[in-house]
Amino acid sequence: SQQGEEDPQALSIQEGENATMNCSYKTSINNLQWYRQNSGRGLVHLILIRSNEREKHSGRLRVTLDTSKKSSSLLITASRAADTASYFCATVPSGGYNKLIFGAGTRLAVHP
Amino acid sequence: SAVISQKPSRDICQRGTSLTIQCQVDSQVTMMFWYRQQPGQSLTLIATANQGSEATYESGFVIDKFPISRPNLTFSTLTVSNLSPEDSSIYLCSVDRQAGETQYFGPGTRLLVL
């Protein structure tokens, strides 16, 4: 079953604007990961943040993690039309599991 | 990283038939995972395929419907049996280099059941 929810379900912005997506989860985790999927194709890994980390950056991406609230956010700065995709958070539960549990995803549309 | 290929990339099948999907990795991996993505939905883990042992299925998925083979450390197949229109989905395989870390996904197999 899915670990949690993402909001918004869909986001439409103009090029150059920032996009923020949020993810909530239910159980204790080892890490949380963000993936991108273009047009129903395979997923591309974006960033992994561990349970003892609070913030991580990769290029135009900024991820935060608040384990007390069981939530994470993904910020894409200066968005481009090529960022149009679905974005999923996925968690690895703590307790010896090595499987990913995916959130519902956010569909991002960036208009030129 | 890992380079993963899947065959077929898409297929249209009649109800009652079966489809076998192949997943090939460019190097040896311990764990391979099979996911289903129903239209407009997120990914749901079907099973974890371990080389040399039976696959571990998630709740709601059974071996009779989704038999999996894992003959070696670079290859796995997923069969979707006795197809119905509800099986129309994208099926994806993935691997990880280290347990619980980044997973690398294949391009997916898009299945339409008529």
Side-chain angles (χ1 to χ4, degrees):
Chain A
S1 61
Q2 289 180 4
Q3 170 72 291
E5 300 296 323
E6 288 179 65
D7 76 272
Q9 291 186 340
L11 181 61
S12 181
I13 60 175
Q14 297 295 125
E15 266 192 329
E17 294 181 342
N18 296 341
T20 299
M21 289 160 267
N22 302 298
C23 166
S24 63
Y25 57 91
K26 298 175 182 175
T27 65
S28 297
I29 61 171
N30 278 337
N31 65 65
L32 184 145
Q33 304 177 31
W34 286 90
Y35 289 83
R36 184 186 73 216
Q37 184 180 38
N38 290 85
S39 301
R41 298 180 184 174
L43 274 70
V44 174
H45 180 260
L46 297 176
I47 199 164
L48 181 154
I49 186 165
R50 303 190 187 282
S51 60
N52 61 352
E53 297 176 311
R54 292 297 168 258
E55 187 171 312
K56 207 160 184 180
H57 297 256
S58 177
R60 294 184 296 113
L61 305 181
R62 171 178 172 258
V63 168
T64 62
L65 178 65
D66 187 335
T67 53
S68 66
K69 295 181 179 178
K70 291 187 170 58
S71 67
S72 174
S73 67
L74 170 67
L75 168 67
I76 304 175
T77 60
S79 63
R80 307 165 182 168
D83 294 328
T84 296
S86 292
Y87 292 81
F88 296 93
C89 70
T91 54
V92 176
S94 57
Y97 299 101
N98 66 345
K99 60 184 181 182
L100 287 177
I101 302 177
F102 280 83
T106 294
R107 295 187 308 279
L108 173 66
V110 182
H111 302 284
Chain B
S1 64
V3 177
I4 303 170
S5 61
Q6 284 185 235
K7 289 182 182 179
S9 59
R10 59 178 62 229
D11 208 340
I12 301 173
C13 299
Q14 297 298 318
R15 67 175 68 203
T17 64
S18 297
L19 176 70
T20 296
I21 303 166
Q22 300 178 8
C23 179
Q24 179 76 52
V25 190
D26 65 338
S27 57
Q28 295 182 346
V29 292
T30 303
M31 308 290 280
M32 296 180 77
F33 305 89
W34 286 100
Y35 291 86
R36 180 178 72 185
Q37 186 177 28
Q38 295 175 301
Q41 302 296 314
S42 184
L43 281 74
T44 301
L45 181 64
I46 297 171
T48 303
N50 309 303
Q51 196 268 335
S53 63
E54 281 205 2
T56 302
Y57 289 83
E58 296 299 306
S59 176
F61 297 96
V62 295
I63 188 171
D64 289 347
K65 176 67 175 178
F66 298 99
I68 288 171
S69 77
R70 182 80 198 273
N72 57 52
L73 292 174
T74 63
F75 187 80
S76 177
T77 67
L78 169 73
T79 298
V80 189
S81 304
N82 190 24
L83 290 167
S84 68
E86 292 72 34
D87 295 319
S88 297
S89 297
I90 299 172
Y91 293 87
L92 301 105
C93 69
S94 73
V95 304
D96 62 14
R97 292 278 182 221
Q98 187 174 345
E101 298 290 315
T102 299
Q103 286 192 15
Y104 303 95
F105 283 81
T109 295
R110 190 181 293 268
L111 170 62
L112 177 62
V113 183
L114 301 178

